Amino acid sequence: MGAPELKEFDGVVTVEGIYSSKLLDARWDARRTDEARRLLRVAITRARRTVVFIRPADALPLTPPLPATG
């Protein structure tokens, strides 16, 4: 049996908004959050060159904030 065929694209665009589901939600339990993060990782790794996220201004951050410098 050969290796599974991976689907790759030049770019991946992920859209979060009123007409699509949230990428992450603070009210989700750990299992649902882990699944959402896994799906995001899959989407990101499908891109050969470019990844674009289109998200509302009030969306939950996908990464922790950077520490303040100064």
Side-chain angles (χ1 to χ4, degrees):
M1 187 154 93
E5 181 181 338
L6 295 178
K7 302 290 183 188
E8 286 189 333
F9 307 93
D10 289 338
V12 172
V13 177
T14 303
V15 179
E16 176 182 10
I18 60 172
Y19 299 110
S20 61
S21 63
K22 293 185 175 194
L23 298 178
L24 291 176
D25 191 316
R27 297 170 291 186
W28 292 350
D29 62 16
R31 183 176 176 203
R32 187 167 179 191
T33 299
D34 288 346
E35 178 65 10
R37 287 189 172 139
R38 186 189 70 78
L39 291 173
L40 280 171
R41 187 172 46 251
V42 168
I44 292 166
T45 59
R46 293 294 187 251
R48 286 187 207 106
R49 293 188 185 98
T50 306
V51 176
V52 176
F53 288 98
I54 301 172
R55 307 185 71 218
D58 63 346
L60 187 67
L62 298 177
T63 60
L66 296 173
T69 60

